[in-house]
Amino acid sequence: MFYLTVDILGTISFAISGVLVAMDKKLDVFGVFIIAFVTAVGGGTLRDILIGNTPVGWMQDPIYVFVIFGAVIFGILFRKRLKYFRKSLFLFDTIGIGLYTMVGVEKGLSAGLLPIMCIALGTMTASFGGVIRDILCNEIPVIFRKEIYATACILGGASYFLLRKLPIEDIYAYIGAILIVIGIRLFAVVFKVSLPNIYKVEQ
Amino acid sequence: MFYLTVDILGTISFAISGVLVAMDKKLDVFGVFIIAFVTAVGGGTLRDILIGNTPVGWMQDPIYVFVIFGAVIFGILFRKRLKYFRKSLFLFDTIGIGLYTMVGVEKGLSAGLLPIMCIALGTMTASFGGVIRDILCNEIPVIFRKEIYATACILGGASYFLLRKLPIEDIYAYIGAILIVIGIRLFAVVFKVSLPNIYKVEQ
Amino acid sequence: MFYLTVDILGTISFAISGVLVAMDKKLDVFGVFIIAFVTAVGGGTLRDILIGNTPVGWMQDPIYVFVIFGAVIFGILFRKRLKYFRKSLFLFDTIGIGLYTMVGVEKGLSAGLLPIMCIALGTMTASFGGVIRDILCNEIPVIFRKEIYATACILGGASYFLLRKLPIEDIYAYIGAILIVIGIRLFAVVFKVSLPNIYKVEQ
């Protein structure tokens, strides 16, 4: 129940971030819905395809389609006031990537993959919806250019495999890893930390 | 036989629409062939990947490769006169999306998916070849910006599930749904109906 | 052992070509790594997805992740001197596409596909990592615009099926096909041969 609630909040937040980008690009309502949809489920879909977990997740439970549909309606109706929700959206999004990361890690473990592959799958689940959104909108993906985002997922995913070696129950390692993703992301945004751009170093 | 003929006409039409876009982008002959190919089979390929129906469809029957190859040769040779075929191409394309929609719906039903997912798969089959074409050509996909296209597929796909509830044979519901896709598309083009762009509403 | 060495050299070369493109686009270090990664493994990943060979290849052996990671570190550290390695890189890349083509052809044969589909899979394995790299960097894929690249893979892949009909052991047909890919690519670059652009013909 806890997982489901956070999962849904993350889906809503990802969907609304898609609505915002799609509106900037002046798409029609169908385009807005598709961009919102791929932003919300694209990462998990890519993960499921790579490990052969088909039909992919969102096809097996209509709740995601309905939630995203609702988020799009909400986003369009209140588009002038979305700025007031910006902080809430950021928080949902940050909680969302924490949970999505661990969902991806778990799926990798179920498929019998090595930890490094599980971390890659977790990072993909959390961040590649945004990559697909940016490709469809004809932009270089924002996570390749700035912000600690995927990095938080990688470090959080890796911490799970360290935490599991401690004499604690697995659920605490799981929750701890989620909190580490969230903590790194919050820290990076509050203190404006980002990865170096390679071209800057060059000069 | 009827299906195969229309399927081939749809494939030809999609391939030629790819040739036209690729020529605008000044690609070489290999690029033109690839763009034509993904336009024609990209939607069905994405559908097959999402439901785990592999090797994907076009790999199991070489007819699509040959037909697309022929269409590309034709398109290149007669590129100055393609404008005279524009109406025929539009008609093939419209018939093609009607049939492709229902092919996708059927594949979803075979995979045991819910009606809403079957409609999504049908729409994808009919319209995502064009999306991949536009991404490869570095454009924001045209179906996200204008024209009733995917909308016709969605409404046609949905109508199939309604028509099936009538006391008629399934084949009539199937054909009826194809005709509804075609009818909506023709109507929208003739009367220049399109979905609202979100940014317009905002002002 | 021979295969593995060449495979690794090809992977390094593809990864560094990704680093070069990503640095031109001023991506951050995470972005550079991802672009290098998809350039190196993207073609094989697409091939594995299309034939349903999941989890995809690079997930089952961590050597690719480590090699690409090393190549990215090397590429970033020596980015000012990469031009001195340009000829070596070109040679690795050319050997790499030769081998990658035949790896793809073999996978297609294992999946019981027709020769024409095996050739398509081989070409994809060798050249679509670069296509995905260019899409992520918001460019029209370079292989659609210039250079004999995919064409070398297609001709080399096709030659394998001809060579197999000769009274020679299969391994010689295999090596012969790799050499044909390499030979055509070298010939085309040295003599600046390229495919005609369609728009040029039109004028």
Side-chain angles (χ1 to χ4, degrees):
Chain A
M1 190 57 215
F2 166 74
Y3 288 170
L4 187 64
T5 310
V6 180
D7 188 20
I8 295 300
L9 288 177
T11 302
I12 291 171
S13 171
F14 282 180
I16 291 182
S17 97
V19 170
L20 291 171
V21 174
M23 289 198 306
D24 276 353
K25 291 284 171 177
K26 303 179 180 173
L27 304 186
D28 67 21
V29 289
F30 174 75
V32 171
F33 177 75
I34 294 296
I35 299 298
F37 194 81
V38 298
T39 308
V41 307
T45 301
L46 180 62
R47 176 201 66 217
D48 286 346
I49 290 172
L50 291 176
I51 61 177
N53 184 14
T54 53
V56 298
W58 61 266
M59 288 205 169
Q60 303 191 17
D61 188 346
I63 190 166
Y64 298 101
V65 175
F66 295 138
V67 164
I68 294 166
F69 197 75
V72 170
I73 302 286
F74 175 87
I76 290 175
L77 288 180
F78 293 97
R79 64 188 172 283
K80 288 177 185 169
R81 293 183 196 149
L82 279 179
K83 61 185 174 213
Y84 303 118
F85 296 105
R86 209 164 277 270
K87 276 190 185 164
S88 309
L89 284 174
F90 170 71
L91 204 64
F92 289 171
D93 183 71
T94 301
I95 296 170
I97 64 167
L99 190 88
Y100 274 36
T101 300
M102 289 311 299
V103 170
V105 167
E106 283 293 315
K107 296 261 183 183
L109 286 171
S110 305
L113 297 172
L114 289 170
I116 194 170
M117 301 306 168
C118 296
I119 297 167
L121 285 174
T123 304
M124 226 176 258
T125 306
S127 63
F128 270 63
V131 171
I132 303 173
R133 173 199 65 208
D134 293 342
I135 293 171
L136 288 175
C137 289
N138 204 10
E139 299 278 349
I140 294 180
V142 66
I143 69 159
F144 295 167
R145 285 177 292 145
K146 60 179 183 186
E147 278 191 38
I148 299 294
Y149 195 103
T151 312
C153 304
I154 294 169
L155 295 176
S159 71
Y160 173 66
F161 291 95
L162 296 175
L163 291 170
R164 285 216 305 181
K165 300 201 172 167
L166 299 178
I168 56 174
E169 280 186 66
D170 199 57
I171 183 71
Y172 295 118
Y174 193 96
I175 292 173
I178 293 174
L179 293 177
I180 287 171
V181 175
I182 295 172
I184 292 173
R185 172 103 169 104
L186 288 178
F187 177 87
V189 168
V190 171
F191 293 98
K192 299 195 198 309
V193 177
S194 69
L195 293 180
N197 286 38
I198 297 307
Y199 77 106
K200 282 183 186 159
V201 181
E202 194 167 6
Q203 285 161 359
Chain B
M1 192 57 217
F2 164 74
Y3 289 168
L4 187 64
T5 310
V6 180
D7 188 20
I8 294 301
L9 288 177
T11 301
I12 291 171
S13 171
F14 282 178
I16 290 182
S17 96
V19 170
L20 291 171
V21 174
M23 289 198 307
D24 276 352
K25 292 282 170 177
K26 303 177 179 175
L27 303 186
D28 66 21
V29 288
F30 174 74
V32 171
F33 177 75
I34 295 294
I35 299 297
F37 195 81
V38 298
T39 308
V41 305
T45 300
L46 180 61
R47 175 201 67 217
D48 286 346
I49 290 172
L50 291 176
I51 61 176
N53 184 14
T54 55
V56 298
W58 60 266
M59 289 206 168
Q60 304 191 19
D61 188 345
I63 191 166
Y64 298 100
V65 175
F66 295 138
V67 164
I68 294 166
F69 197 76
V72 170
I73 302 286
F74 175 87
I76 290 175
L77 289 180
F78 295 96
R79 61 188 173 283
K80 288 177 185 169
R81 293 182 197 151
L82 278 179
K83 61 185 175 216
Y84 303 118
F85 297 104
R86 210 164 276 271
K87 277 194 183 159
S88 309
L89 284 174
F90 169 72
L91 204 64
F92 289 172
D93 183 72
T94 300
I95 296 169
I97 64 166
L99 191 86
Y100 275 35
T101 300
M102 289 312 298
V103 169
V105 167
E106 283 294 314
K107 296 259 182 185
L109 286 171
S110 305
L113 297 172
L114 289 171
I116 194 170
M117 302 304 167
C118 296
I119 296 167
L121 284 173
T123 304
M124 226 177 259
T125 306
S127 63
F128 271 63
V131 171
I132 303 173
R133 174 198 67 208
D134 293 341
I135 293 172
L136 288 175
C137 288
N138 204 10
E139 298 279 350
I140 294 181
V142 67
I143 68 160
F144 295 168
R145 286 177 292 146
K146 59 179 182 187
E147 277 192 40
I148 299 293
Y149 194 102
T151 311
C153 305
I154 294 169
L155 295 176
S159 72
Y160 174 65
F161 291 95
L162 295 176
L163 291 170
R164 284 216 305 181
K165 300 201 172 167
L166 299 178
I168 56 174
E169 280 186 66
D170 199 56
I171 183 70
Y172 295 118
Y174 193 96
I175 292 173
I178 293 174
L179 293 177
I180 288 171
V181 175
I182 295 172
I184 293 173
R185 173 104 169 102
L186 289 179
F187 177 87
V189 169
V190 171
F191 293 97
K192 299 193 198 310
V193 176
S194 68
L195 293 180
N197 286 38
I198 296 307
Y199 76 106
K200 282 182 185 162
V201 182
E202 193 166 7
Q203 286 160 0
Chain C
M1 190 60 216
F2 164 75
Y3 288 168
L4 186 63
T5 310
V6 180
D7 188 19
I8 295 301
L9 288 177
T11 301
I12 291 171
S13 172
F14 282 179
I16 290 182
S17 96
V19 171
L20 291 170
V21 174
M23 289 197 307
D24 277 352
K25 291 285 171 175
K26 305 180 179 174
L27 303 187
D28 67 22
V29 288
F30 174 75
V32 171
F33 177 75
I34 294 295
I35 299 297
F37 195 82
V38 298
T39 308
V41 307
T45 300
L46 181 61
R47 174 202 67 216
D48 286 346
I49 290 173
L50 291 176
I51 61 177
N53 184 13
T54 54
V56 297
W58 59 267
M59 288 206 168
Q60 303 191 18
D61 188 345
I63 192 166
Y64 298 100
V65 176
F66 296 138
V67 163
I68 294 167
F69 196 75
V72 170
I73 302 287
F74 175 87
I76 290 176
L77 288 180
F78 295 96
R79 62 188 173 282
K80 288 177 184 168
R81 292 182 196 149
L82 280 179
K83 61 185 174 214
Y84 304 117
F85 297 104
R86 209 164 276 272
K87 276 191 184 165
S88 308
L89 284 174
F90 170 70
L91 204 64
F92 290 172
D93 183 72
T94 300
I95 297 169
I97 63 166
L99 191 87
Y100 275 35
T101 300
M102 288 312 297
V103 170
V105 168
E106 283 293 315
K107 296 262 181 183
L109 286 170
S110 305
L113 297 173
L114 289 171
I116 193 169
M117 302 303 168
C118 297
I119 297 168
L121 284 174
T123 305
M124 225 177 261
T125 306
S127 63
F128 271 63
V131 171
I132 303 174
R133 174 199 65 209
D134 293 341
I135 293 172
L136 287 176
C137 289
N138 204 8
E139 299 277 351
I140 294 180
V142 66
I143 68 160
F144 295 168
R145 286 176 292 147
K146 60 181 183 186
E147 277 191 41
I148 299 294
Y149 194 104
T151 311
C153 305
I154 294 169
L155 295 175
S159 71
Y160 174 66
F161 291 95
L162 296 175
L163 290 171
R164 285 216 305 182
K165 300 202 172 168
L166 300 178
I168 58 175
E169 281 186 65
D170 198 57
I171 183 70
Y172 295 119
Y174 192 96
I175 292 173
I178 292 174
L179 293 176
I180 287 169
V181 175
I182 295 172
I184 293 173
R185 171 103 169 105
L186 289 178
F187 177 87
V189 169
V190 170
F191 293 97
K192 299 194 198 310
V193 177
S194 68
L195 294 179
N197 286 37
I198 297 308
Y199 76 106
K200 282 183 185 160
V201 182
E202 194 166 5
Q203 287 160 356

mmCIF file of all heavy atoms in Angstrom, chain B residues 138-159:
data_model
loop_
_atom_site.group_PDB
_atom_site.id
_atom_site.type_symbol
_atom_site.label_atom_id
_atom_site.label_comp_id
_atom_site.label_asym_id
_atom_site.label_seq_id
_atom_site.Cartn_x
_atom_site.Cartn_y
_atom_site.Cartn_z
ATOM 1 N N ASN B 138 15.028 13.836 -37.227
ATOM 2 C CA ASN B 138 15.276 14.975 -36.355
ATOM 3 C C ASN B 138 14.152 16.007 -36.387
ATOM 4 O O ASN B 138 14.391 17.216 -36.397
ATOM 5 C CB ASN B 138 16.626 15.619 -36.739
ATOM 6 C CG ASN B 138 17.241 16.399 -35.598
ATOM 7 O OD1 ASN B 138 16.766 16.320 -34.464
ATOM 8 N ND2 ASN B 138 18.275 17.150 -35.879
ATOM 9 N N GLU B 139 12.918 15.502 -36.406
ATOM 10 C CA GLU B 139 11.739 16.362 -36.349
ATOM 11 C C GLU B 139 10.879 15.954 -35.147
ATOM 12 O O GLU B 139 10.873 14.782 -34.774
ATOM 13 C CB GLU B 139 10.853 16.162 -37.598
ATOM 14 C CG GLU B 139 11.495 16.503 -38.906
ATOM 15 C CD GLU B 139 11.467 17.992 -39.181
ATOM 16 O OE1 GLU B 139 10.772 18.716 -38.441
ATOM 17 O OE2 GLU B 139 12.145 18.432 -40.124
ATOM 18 N N ILE B 140 10.154 16.900 -34.577
ATOM 19 C CA ILE B 140 9.126 16.523 -33.604
ATOM 20 C C ILE B 140 8.035 15.792 -34.382
ATOM 21 O O ILE B 140 7.571 16.284 -35.408
ATOM 22 C CB ILE B 140 8.533 17.753 -32.897
ATOM 23 C CG1 ILE B 140 9.611 18.426 -32.035
ATOM 24 C CG2 ILE B 140 7.343 17.353 -32.038
ATOM 25 C CD1 ILE B 140 9.128 19.629 -31.280
ATOM 26 N N PRO B 141 7.645 14.578 -33.927
ATOM 27 C CA PRO B 141 6.695 13.782 -34.706
ATOM 28 C C PRO B 141 5.449 14.568 -35.106
ATOM 29 O O PRO B 141 4.813 15.219 -34.274
ATOM 30 C CB PRO B 141 6.353 12.629 -33.765
ATOM 31 C CG PRO B 141 7.609 12.449 -32.965
ATOM 32 C CD PRO B 141 8.124 13.847 -32.753
ATOM 33 N N VAL B 142 5.114 14.484 -36.385
ATOM 34 C CA VAL B 142 4.010 15.273 -36.927
ATOM 35 C C VAL B 142 2.683 14.913 -36.264
ATOM 36 O O VAL B 142 1.840 15.783 -36.066
ATOM 37 C CB VAL B 142 3.946 15.140 -38.475
ATOM 38 C CG1 VAL B 142 3.571 13.732 -38.890
ATOM 39 C CG2 VAL B 142 2.978 16.130 -39.073
ATOM 40 N N ILE B 143 2.517 13.647 -35.866
ATOM 41 C CA ILE B 143 1.206 13.297 -35.285
ATOM 42 C C ILE B 143 1.025 13.865 -33.886
ATOM 43 O O ILE B 143 -0.049 13.813 -33.324
ATOM 44 C CB ILE B 143 0.922 11.777 -35.235
ATOM 45 C CG1 ILE B 143 1.827 11.067 -34.238
ATOM 46 C CG2 ILE B 143 0.967 11.156 -36.595
ATOM 47 C CD1 ILE B 143 1.243 9.725 -33.820
ATOM 48 N N PHE B 144 2.110 14.402 -33.286
ATOM 49 C CA PHE B 144 1.932 15.068 -31.991
ATOM 50 C C PHE B 144 1.537 16.523 -32.174
ATOM 51 O O PHE B 144 1.241 17.213 -31.212
ATOM 52 C CB PHE B 144 3.246 15.052 -31.179
ATOM 53 C CG PHE B 144 3.694 13.693 -30.776
ATOM 54 C CD1 PHE B 144 4.972 13.498 -30.271
ATOM 55 C CD2 PHE B 144 2.856 12.593 -30.874
ATOM 56 C CE1 PHE B 144 5.402 12.243 -29.900
ATOM 57 C CE2 PHE B 144 3.287 11.331 -30.509
ATOM 58 C CZ PHE B 144 4.553 11.157 -30.020
ATOM 59 N N ARG B 145 1.585 16.985 -33.408
ATOM 60 C CA ARG B 145 1.383 18.411 -33.630
ATOM 61 C C ARG B 145 0.128 18.760 -34.391
ATOM 62 O O ARG B 145 -0.497 19.781 -34.179
ATOM 63 C CB ARG B 145 2.604 18.987 -34.358
ATOM 64 C CG ARG B 145 3.797 19.106 -33.432
ATOM 65 C CD ARG B 145 4.983 19.612 -34.200
ATOM 66 N NE ARG B 145 5.444 18.615 -35.159
ATOM 67 C CZ ARG B 145 5.964 18.883 -36.342
ATOM 68 N NH1 ARG B 145 6.068 20.122 -36.751
ATOM 69 N NH2 ARG B 145 6.376 17.904 -37.121
ATOM 70 N N LYS B 146 -0.245 17.900 -35.342
ATOM 71 C CA LYS B 146 -1.436 18.256 -36.100
ATOM 72 C C LYS B 146 -2.114 17.020 -36.691
ATOM 73 O O LYS B 146 -1.558 15.947 -36.668
ATOM 74 C CB LYS B 146 -1.107 19.258 -37.203
ATOM 75 C CG LYS B 146 -0.092 18.771 -38.197
ATOM 76 C CD LYS B 146 0.157 19.826 -39.260
ATOM 77 C CE LYS B 146 1.150 19.310 -40.287
ATOM 78 N NZ LYS B 146 1.560 20.341 -41.234
ATOM 79 N N GLU B 147 -3.281 17.247 -37.201
ATOM 80 C CA GLU B 147 -4.047 16.213 -37.889
ATOM 81 C C GLU B 147 -4.667 15.196 -36.933
ATOM 82 O O GLU B 147 -4.084 14.826 -35.930
ATOM 83 C CB GLU B 147 -3.157 15.437 -38.876
ATOM 84 C CG GLU B 147 -3.022 16.139 -40.184
ATOM 85 C CD GLU B 147 -2.387 15.216 -41.216
ATOM 86 O OE1 GLU B 147 -2.729 14.022 -41.243
ATOM 87 O OE2 GLU B 147 -1.566 15.719 -41.980
ATOM 88 N N ILE B 148 -5.862 14.812 -37.320
ATOM 89 C CA ILE B 148 -6.510 13.676 -36.686
ATOM 90 C C ILE B 148 -5.914 12.434 -37.329
ATOM 91 O O ILE B 148 -6.101 12.221 -38.526
ATOM 92 C CB ILE B 148 -8.031 13.711 -36.955
ATOM 93 C CG1 ILE B 148 -8.656 14.955 -36.383
ATOM 94 C CG2 ILE B 148 -8.707 12.442 -36.428
ATOM 95 C CD1 ILE B 148 -8.655 15.058 -34.890
ATOM 96 N N TYR B 149 -5.151 11.670 -36.582
ATOM 97 C CA TYR B 149 -4.541 10.489 -37.188
ATOM 98 C C TYR B 149 -4.640 9.375 -36.150
ATOM 99 O O TYR B 149 -5.441 8.450 -36.296
ATOM 100 C CB TYR B 149 -3.081 10.823 -37.530
ATOM 101 C CG TYR B 149 -2.392 9.871 -38.446
ATOM 102 C CD1 TYR B 149 -2.216 10.171 -39.787
ATOM 103 C CD2 TYR B 149 -1.895 8.667 -37.971
ATOM 104 C CE1 TYR B 149 -1.559 9.287 -40.632
ATOM 105 C CE2 TYR B 149 -1.237 7.787 -38.809
ATOM 106 C CZ TYR B 149 -1.072 8.094 -40.127
ATOM 107 O OH TYR B 149 -0.419 7.222 -40.961
ATOM 108 N N ALA B 150 -3.846 9.528 -35.088
ATOM 109 C CA ALA B 150 -3.945 8.560 -34.013
ATOM 110 C C ALA B 150 -5.347 8.547 -33.408
ATOM 111 O O ALA B 150 -5.860 7.493 -33.029
ATOM 112 C CB ALA B 150 -2.910 8.875 -32.941
ATOM 113 N N THR B 151 -5.968 9.724 -33.367
ATOM 114 C CA THR B 151 -7.322 9.807 -32.814
ATOM 115 C C THR B 151 -8.290 8.904 -33.571
ATOM 116 O O THR B 151 -9.155 8.256 -32.964
ATOM 117 C CB THR B 151 -7.820 11.262 -32.869
ATOM 118 O OG1 THR B 151 -6.797 12.097 -32.327
ATOM 119 C CG2 THR B 151 -9.104 11.436 -32.073
ATOM 120 N N ALA B 152 -8.156 8.867 -34.902
ATOM 121 C CA ALA B 152 -9.003 7.992 -35.708
ATOM 122 C C ALA B 152 -8.779 6.524 -35.326
ATOM 123 O O ALA B 152 -9.730 5.739 -35.235
ATOM 124 C CB ALA B 152 -8.709 8.201 -37.192
ATOM 125 N N CYS B 153 -7.511 6.177 -35.072
ATOM 126 C CA CYS B 153 -7.196 4.793 -34.695
ATOM 127 C C CYS B 153 -7.794 4.453 -33.334
ATOM 128 O O CYS B 153 -8.331 3.355 -33.126
ATOM 129 C CB CYS B 153 -5.682 4.583 -34.638
ATOM 130 S SG CYS B 153 -4.845 5.024 -36.165
ATOM 131 N N ILE B 154 -7.683 5.390 -32.393
ATOM 132 C CA ILE B 154 -8.206 5.151 -31.049
ATOM 133 C C ILE B 154 -9.727 4.945 -31.107
ATOM 134 O O ILE B 154 -10.258 3.981 -30.550
ATOM 135 C CB ILE B 154 -7.864 6.332 -30.111
ATOM 136 C CG1 ILE B 154 -6.344 6.414 -29.905
ATOM 137 C CG2 ILE B 154 -8.590 6.185 -28.767
ATOM 138 C CD1 ILE B 154 -5.891 7.686 -29.208
ATOM 139 N N LEU B 155 -10.414 5.851 -31.820
ATOM 140 C CA LEU B 155 -11.876 5.752 -31.884
ATOM 141 C C LEU B 155 -12.304 4.492 -32.635
ATOM 142 O O LEU B 155 -13.248 3.808 -32.230
ATOM 143 C CB LEU B 155 -12.451 7.003 -32.559
ATOM 144 C CG LEU B 155 -12.238 8.303 -31.763
ATOM 145 C CD1 LEU B 155 -12.751 9.502 -32.563
ATOM 146 C CD2 LEU B 155 -12.935 8.241 -30.405
ATOM 147 N N GLY B 156 -11.589 4.183 -33.715
ATOM 148 C CA GLY B 156 -11.917 2.967 -34.470
ATOM 149 C C GLY B 156 -11.685 1.715 -33.638
ATOM 150 O O GLY B 156 -12.512 0.794 -33.619
ATOM 151 N N GLY B 157 -10.553 1.682 -32.948
ATOM 152 C CA GLY B 157 -10.246 0.533 -32.091
ATOM 153 C C GLY B 157 -11.286 0.366 -30.997
ATOM 154 O O GLY B 157 -11.748 -0.749 -30.716
ATOM 155 N N ALA B 158 -11.676 1.486 -30.388
ATOM 156 C CA ALA B 158 -12.682 1.426 -29.332
ATOM 157 C C ALA B 158 -14.020 0.949 -29.888
ATOM 158 O O ALA B 158 -14.740 0.171 -29.249
ATOM 159 C CB ALA B 158 -12.834 2.803 -28.680
ATOM 160 N N SER B 159 -14.351 1.406 -31.109
ATOM 161 C CA SER B 159 -15.644 1.031 -31.690
ATOM 162 C C SER B 159 -15.745 -0.479 -31.898
ATOM 163 O O SER B 159 -16.829 -1.053 -31.816
ATOM 164 C CB SER B 159 -15.871 1.767 -33.008
ATOM 165 O OG SER B 159 -15.022 1.238 -34.005
#
